[in-house]
Amino acid sequence: MSIMQEKAYEMIKRLPDDKLYYIVRMLEGLEGLVLPAKNDDSMTVEQKAYEDLQQFRRCSDVEIDYKEELAQALEEKYASIN
């Protein structure tokens, strides 16, 4: 790893998670400039649609406790059975 890569790695390690979203988006943009374009002829319609959807994907700042969500949903649904 070069000195510049190590420096970038250390800077990214110190960033809070909510700021990493922006760094990842910038790196994805840069990656498109450096890497060759994908061959669209070899992609199926489904793969193209998936790639299009990925452009709109965002990371959420909200932490979800899925076990708690499930417990609440089950409680609401089956509360009247007792």
Side-chain angles (χ1 to χ4, degrees):
M1 189 181 303
S2 71
I3 295 173
M4 187 62 76
Q5 288 173 330
E6 288 178 17
K7 184 176 178 181
Y9 177 74
E10 291 300 320
M11 291 172 70
I12 290 172
K13 259 179 43 175
R14 289 190 305 258
L15 286 175
D17 287 341
D18 59 330
K19 304 294 184 204
L20 284 178
Y21 169 76
Y22 301 108
I23 299 298
V24 170
R25 298 300 288 179
M26 283 190 283
L27 290 174
E28 287 174 345
L30 289 174
E31 190 176 48
L33 296 173
V34 175
L35 297 177
K38 295 178 183 175
N39 186 1
D40 289 338
D41 296 337
S42 65
M43 294 175 68
T44 65
V45 175
E46 293 83 5
Q47 289 171 330
K48 288 178 186 177
Y50 179 75
E51 291 293 324
D52 290 342
L53 285 175
Q54 289 300 318
Q55 293 176 4
F56 298 105
R57 187 173 182 193
R58 284 195 60 181
C59 296
S60 175
D61 295 338
V62 179
E63 290 288 327
I64 299 174
D65 183 4
Y66 292 104
K67 290 182 180 179
E68 180 64 29
E69 291 284 328
L70 176 61
Q72 288 177 359
L74 290 173
E75 181 65 32
E76 289 175 14
K77 183 172 183 174
Y78 296 112
S80 63
I81 292 178
N82 294 337

